[in-house]
Amino acid sequence: MHAYLITAKPGRLQRAARAVGRCALRVLALAVMAGLGAVVFTVRCARPVINYLATRAAWLELWAASVTGIGPVGAAVGSGLTDEFVREFHRARTSATAGGVR
């Protein structure tokens, strides 16, 4: 007795459904990667603007501190946050893998 008589082969409809499912999964994965790429691109492009605004805000705070006599609170908080961000960025950069095929 031959094996193909015992086991049922997948029909055309089942094979087509499997192919459509695979294609849909690949399209979904591509859409997710494109969406994440757009978000990363936007954040990287906005970074110089954010840096400029942060510099202007720091100058404004220093001016307000000199006028009012109250110490610059944001500078104390901001320097700790900046140090933590730099540490985290450096840690992520040094522990990242190249991503190439070995």
Side-chain angles (χ1 to χ4, degrees):
M1 198 176 252
H2 294 288
Y4 64 85
L5 294 175
I6 298 170
T7 59
K9 287 183 173 182
R12 284 183 181 168
L13 190 58
Q14 191 176 5
R15 284 183 293 176
R18 191 176 294 146
V20 167
R22 237 177 304 169
C23 184
L25 186 64
R26 287 179 181 163
V27 167
L28 180 66
L30 181 65
V32 167
M33 288 189 296
L36 288 174
V39 168
V40 168
F41 182 72
T42 304
V43 168
R44 286 197 173 197
C45 288
R47 204 162 119 199
V49 175
I50 293 169
N51 287 345
Y52 175 77
L53 291 175
T55 303
R56 290 291 142 212
W59 279 108
L60 182 63
E61 183 189 19
L62 288 175
W63 173 80
S66 68
V67 169
T68 61
I70 301 171
V73 178
V77 173
S79 65
L81 284 175
T82 302
D83 291 342
E84 184 59 34
F85 280 131
V86 167
R87 250 183 267 123
E88 183 66 29
F89 177 74
H90 181 67
R91 188 180 317 128
R93 206 181 82 217
T94 55
S95 65
T97 58
V101 178
R102 293 180 186 215

